[in-house]
Amino acid sequence: MPLEISQLFTGLQGEIIKLVGLFVLAIILFNVGEQTHLFWRRENFKKKLRWVMLEILIPRETKRNPLAMEQVLSTIHGLRNEANDLAEYYRDGEVTRWFSIEMLSFGGEIHFYMRLYFKYRALVEAAFYSFYPDIELIEVEDYLSRFPQNVEDMKSKGYELWGTEMVLNKDEAYPIKTYPAFEAIDENKEYDPISTFLEVLGKVKKQEMVGIQLLLEPKTGGWIEEWHKLVSTLKESQSKREAMEAAKATMKTSFPGGPLPIFETVRPEKSELDMFAKSLSRSPGETDVLKAVEVNLSKAAFRTTIRFIYFSPKLMFYDSFARRGLVSAFNQYSALDLNSFRQNYKVSTRLRFWNWPFLFADLRNDYRKQRLLYHYLRWKQPQKQLWAKILSMHPLNFNLHSASTVLNVESIATLFHPPRFFVITAPHIKRVESRKAGPPAGLAIYGDEEKIDKFL
Amino acid sequence: MEFNKLLKVLHTLIFVVGILLFAGSIYLVVKAWPAKPSFDPKIFWIILNSTFLIFFIVSLNIARKYRPHLTFKRKSKRAPTAEEMVIIEHWRSVRHKAFSGDTNSMRLAIIEADKILDDVLRNVGFTAETVSDKILQILSDDLYLIRNKATDAHEYYLKLESDPDYEVDFDEVKKAIYNYEAVLKELNIVDPAEL
């Protein structure tokens, strides 16, 4: 008797199938409903955040090395918040507040900015002043009002943009090349990787603008635990793993003396003994990688999004400047055995007709630009949950590939720190005009006790 | 960290309760078979599903407002700015001179057209001193049209300028003027259809 689909739904079997269907539907609807609710509450939470925009004025001479910046970031990491009960999670939609460090170049004039949740201002200032006494953080007007607000606006002003996001090539557990690699006891052999950025940003022509955004969100939850498995595989040496696999392979296939396996007592040859001895120790390279990974995991980490955008009048637009020049500045941090940066090609605004699905390439490229600009102007972190990504899709721009990476404080301090004193080739940076110093001790103060408070 | 664990426990609990309810409803159906059970468990599941569905639709309706608004109009036509109006007026007079038939006017038209090109390129952001150098600053390959047209037009201007006795030919002047106009059109300053 041929099986018909309608027959499936009759009798006891049919009743059970219907119940299973309803149960599966209930699970799907529950999850989707919960995720949608969370998306709404979280976006609402983000929308209500009040921000303050600070300009970081670099002193004329900074003797501190990036370790100071690392300490500042560690302090800031301690300010992290997290949803800690059901009300905060479901009702408030609390997410970890992030902040952004921005390197801007307006026609070759370089500015450093920092964008914070307004209540963190005093604490972040304290962190900065304790490690960089000469630095100044002043509240300024948001430069984003000078940017075109959407692609249409940009085109009518005769501008063109190119932008992308940077991600890591390998797992986040592998660190990039960090500042100790650029340092030496001899001053002539010291380099500051930020000088490349300053040079590239300084070369920007008068009508152009370049912005680099580092969005930093303190990582909550286990950062070491996540990579526990990787560390344990790294602890085993490569040659031991190979030897084990080879041993397994011989065990399975060798049947000496007929179809029945006979246990032979063969004395291992000398080469096998060598292999065994080798398997006990890791090679120097493996040890170095393991060490670097463990050091990387031992420090506080931030969920980081690196995004940059380059505006230029259409006539002067030369996307290789940004596409190659700025990206190559990130190549300094690459270490072959560890990690390196690459462009997130699915986000960068260079879409050609051969990119899948081969339709409306120009239009889709425009929407990529629009998405990037939209995210830049609102300093948005990429969505974490898949359903939140689906909810923020556009028919012409799915944006499933926008991603952030996790970098620890050491890596971030390498990416951004006040340029050191030997970077004198950057005359275009906005700097502090004079050095600050406290009043002489024992200076006579005239006035009542209450007035003294003002001067403290 | 503690809260995350709690959340996981909560989700597992909800799932376990769901499984138990599901097992119970199957038990009800199987036990009463072939008769109908006194309470049909399908009704319970349908009510549960509709509650979830309503919750989902209501949330979706609100969440819709928080989606990023990316839609923009493409190729919108804009009104020319005051600066561009001046250039358009100037360009009209240049065209008038170029097509007047008088050799001196034609020579003057080319010189004025080159002046306009110089101003326009400077406004756009090319800072070199001469027009030739400004053209050399156009690097983008997407702008080869502007580069080629401007080069051709400017070459003719240089011929006229360097040699006062150079005989002005109407066809060549026309070609040069059209080249200048093509550059202005590419820069969205002058629309030849509206002249």
Side-chain angles (χ1 to χ4, degrees):
Chain A
M1 198 175 80
L3 189 78
E4 283 175 32
I5 290 176
S6 59
Q7 267 182 336
L8 273 177
F9 296 100
T10 53
L12 183 59
Q13 180 193 2
E15 286 294 304
I16 290 172
I17 287 178
K18 278 173 198 166
L19 275 174
V20 169
L22 283 168
F23 179 57
V24 170
L25 193 68
I27 292 175
I28 293 170
L29 281 176
F30 177 76
N31 276 316
V32 167
E34 189 196 15
Q35 289 296 319
T36 315
H37 174 82
L38 280 174
F39 173 78
W40 158 40
R41 291 318 298 170
R42 282 178 180 151
E43 289 301 306
N44 192 40
F45 183 84
K46 288 177 200 167
K47 208 174 176 180
K48 281 185 180 163
L49 287 177
R50 217 175 100 197
W51 298 84
V52 60
M53 174 89 182
L54 300 176
E55 175 157 11
I56 306 173
L57 294 176
I58 307 291
R60 291 262 161 219
E61 204 178 67
T62 315
K63 293 260 181 189
R64 304 290 169 99
N65 76 341
L67 180 61
M69 190 66 206
E70 194 183 319
Q71 295 304 317
V72 172
L73 287 167
S74 303
T75 318
I76 293 173
H77 188 269
L79 300 175
R80 71 190 178 277
N81 69 310
E82 202 182 356
N84 253 332
D85 57 48
L86 288 174
E88 279 177 358
Y89 188 76
Y90 283 111
R91 193 192 59 205
D92 302 345
E94 187 168 338
V95 290
T96 310
R97 294 188 197 95
W98 69 105
F99 65 99
S100 89
I101 289 177
E102 288 161 32
M103 280 188 261
L104 261 293
S105 171
F106 297 108
E109 194 188 310
I110 300 164
H111 293 258
F112 297 116
Y113 294 106
M114 197 165 179
R115 206 186 286 278
L116 295 164
Y117 177 55
F118 77 110
K119 279 186 180 168
Y120 288 168
R121 184 181 170 178
L123 297 162
V124 169
E125 273 179 349
F128 262 101
Y129 291 153
S130 52
F131 289 98
Y132 292 100
D134 287 345
I135 217 166
E136 268 186 32
L137 297 172
I138 50 166
E139 190 169 352
V140 287
E141 194 204 337
D142 198 338
Y143 69 87
L144 286 177
S145 54
R146 280 201 256 169
F147 272 35
Q149 298 300 308
N150 55 39
V151 169
E152 186 199 354
D153 189 15
M154 178 189 84
K155 285 196 170 168
S156 71
K157 281 177 183 162
Y159 272 79
E160 189 57 69
L161 81 79
W162 188 87
T164 191
E165 292 175 4
M166 299 297 281
V167 286
L168 289 174
N169 255 329
K170 280 204 232 168
D171 285 340
E172 293 143 353
Y174 294 96
I176 54 169
K177 195 160 136 191
T178 53
Y179 64 86
F182 298 95
E183 284 179 349
I185 298 165
D186 184 3
E187 196 182 294
N188 295 327
K189 288 174 186 164
E190 278 200 293
Y191 306 98
D192 193 346
I194 207 156
S195 57
T196 317
F197 281 98
L198 299 182
E199 283 302 321
V200 174
L201 291 178
K203 287 281 180 292
V204 170
K205 292 192 198 101
K206 211 182 163 195
Q207 282 76 13
E208 297 174 329
M209 277 186 285
V210 173
I212 303 176
Q213 218 174 34
L214 286 175
L215 302 177
L216 306 173
E217 179 189 315
K219 183 157 171 59
T220 53
W223 154 237
I224 307 175
E225 288 85 350
E226 254 175 51
W227 297 103
H228 183 72
K229 211 175 160 188
L230 180 87
V231 174
S232 52
T233 37
L234 282 177
K235 275 179 184 163
E236 279 176 31
S237 72
Q238 180 73 29
S239 42
K240 188 185 169 188
R241 245 176 287 148
E242 276 166 15
M244 292 280 275
E245 273 161 27
K248 266 184 206 165
T250 48
M251 286 277 277
K252 272 179 197 163
T253 53
S254 69
F255 293 100
L260 282 172
I262 297 162
F263 292 102
E264 279 183 311
T265 50
V266 182
R267 193 186 145 75
E269 285 170 29
K270 206 188 173 194
S271 62
E272 281 181 37
L273 271 176
D274 273 358
M275 230 164 136
F276 181 68
K278 224 200 276 173
S279 73
L280 288 179
S281 60
R282 286 181 293 274
S283 75
E286 284 170 351
T287 315
D288 283 352
V289 171
L290 178 65
K291 217 158 124 189
V293 168
E294 284 190 326
V295 167
N296 187 36
L297 293 177
S298 71
K299 290 184 177 179
F302 285 85
R303 182 174 166 243
T304 314
T305 309
I306 304 166
R307 185 179 288 143
F308 56 76
I309 207 161
Y310 160 70
F311 283 111
S312 170
K314 197 152 190 232
L315 201 55
M316 301 169 80
F317 184 69
Y318 180 54
D319 71 344
S320 284
F321 171 79
R323 195 158 54 83
R324 304 224 168 85
L326 274 172
V327 170
S328 67
F330 279 93
N331 276 355
Q332 303 176 84
Y333 307 116
S334 61
L336 204 60
D337 53 342
L338 299 172
N339 220 333
S340 53
F341 285 106
R342 69 170 168 85
Q343 275 183 57
N344 195 347
Y345 293 103
K346 295 273 168 78
V347 177
S348 70
T349 59
R350 187 181 155 83
L351 195 145
R352 293 284 195 265
F353 68 88
W354 54 78
N355 291 78
W356 194 86
F358 318 114
L359 293 169
F360 318 119
D362 282 357
L363 192 61
R364 274 163 59 219
N365 200 13
D366 275 1
Y367 271 91
R368 271 196 188 180
K369 286 175 187 169
Q370 172 76 352
R371 170 80 69 173
L372 200 86
L373 192 59
Y374 184 91
H375 280 180
Y376 192 97
L377 294 173
R378 288 160 187 78
W379 52 97
K380 284 215 168 200
Q381 286 272 35
Q383 298 281 4
K384 281 185 213 167
Q385 287 79 15
L386 181 66
W387 187 249
K389 278 183 189 174
I390 291 170
L391 280 179
S392 50
M393 268 182 178
H394 185 276
L396 284 161
N397 181 291
F398 290 173
N399 197 42
L400 285 172
H401 297 279
S402 175
S404 50
T405 57
V406 179
L407 295 176
N408 76 348
V409 283
E410 192 180 321
S411 311
I412 298 165
T414 315
L415 282 177
F416 173 81
H417 54 261
R420 296 183 64 188
F421 61 96
F422 48 80
V423 188
I424 50 164
T425 53
H428 304 298
I429 311 177
K430 191 99 164 51
R431 290 178 192 263
V432 180
E433 290 308 322
S434 59
R435 198 161 179 278
K436 274 188 294 187
L443 191 70
I445 300 171
Y446 298 98
D448 299 328
E449 283 287 320
E450 303 96 59
K451 285 183 184 169
I452 293 174
D453 279 349
K454 269 202 305 193
F455 299 98
L456 292 178
Chain B
M1 199 60 206
E2 287 304 307
F3 175 67
N4 285 346
K5 274 179 195 162
L6 184 85
L7 211 63
K8 260 182 204 164
V9 169
L10 195 76
H11 275 111
T12 325
L13 214 68
I14 291 171
F15 186 67
V16 168
V17 169
I19 289 273
L20 285 177
L21 283 172
F22 175 63
S25 42
I26 291 221
Y27 173 72
L28 273 182
V29 171
V30 173
K31 196 187 164 198
W33 193 258
K36 292 255 171 193
S38 55
F39 171 70
D40 193 355
K42 263 190 293 181
I43 296 170
F44 164 74
W45 285 103
I46 287 169
I47 290 171
L48 195 70
N49 276 354
S50 355
T51 325
F52 287 158
L53 191 68
I54 289 166
F55 174 61
F56 169 55
I57 288 172
V58 169
S59 310
L60 193 68
N61 198 30
I62 308 168
R64 211 162 42 92
K65 290 162 199 154
Y66 291 88
R67 293 184 66 234
H69 301 289
L70 294 179
T71 317
F72 62 94
K73 271 183 261 162
R74 275 187 111 215
K75 284 175 188 164
S76 64
K77 204 155 172 20
R78 72 200 162 87
T81 60
E83 209 176 329
E84 285 168 7
M85 291 290 274
V86 172
I87 295 174
I88 290 170
E89 279 307 305
H90 197 173
W91 186 251
R92 281 205 182 111
S93 74
V94 167
R95 265 178 80 106
H96 186 71
K97 274 175 199 154
F99 296 118
S100 65
D102 177 24
T103 44
N104 280 334
S105 295
M106 284 197 276
R107 190 185 289 271
L108 208 61
I110 293 291
I111 291 167
E112 279 186 20
D114 203 73
K115 181 78 177 62
I116 290 176
L117 181 69
D118 191 8
D119 289 347
V120 164
L121 288 180
R122 194 188 309 115
N123 283 345
V124 170
F126 295 106
T127 45
E129 273 196 13
T130 64
V131 177
S132 324
D133 289 347
K134 278 175 189 147
I135 293 167
L136 283 178
Q137 283 183 320
I138 306 175
L139 291 173
S140 170
D141 283 341
D142 296 341
L143 302 167
Y144 72 99
L145 200 76
I146 292 179
R147 197 165 52 207
N148 294 354
K149 300 259 174 189
T151 315
D152 288 354
H154 189 61
E155 260 172 23
Y156 186 65
Y157 162 80
L158 288 177
K159 268 186 213 163
L160 280 189
E161 194 209 25
S162 57
D163 183 7
D165 300 330
Y166 189 83
E167 205 172 300
V168 184
D169 178 37
F170 180 63
D171 282 346
E172 280 183 300
V173 169
K174 205 163 75 178
K175 217 166 109 190
I177 287 289
Y178 283 153
N179 279 339
Y180 281 119
E181 202 170 84
V183 173
L184 295 180
K185 193 198 163 203
E186 275 295 299
L187 293 172
N188 279 330
I189 295 168
V190 167
D191 188 357
E194 286 178 5
L195 283 173

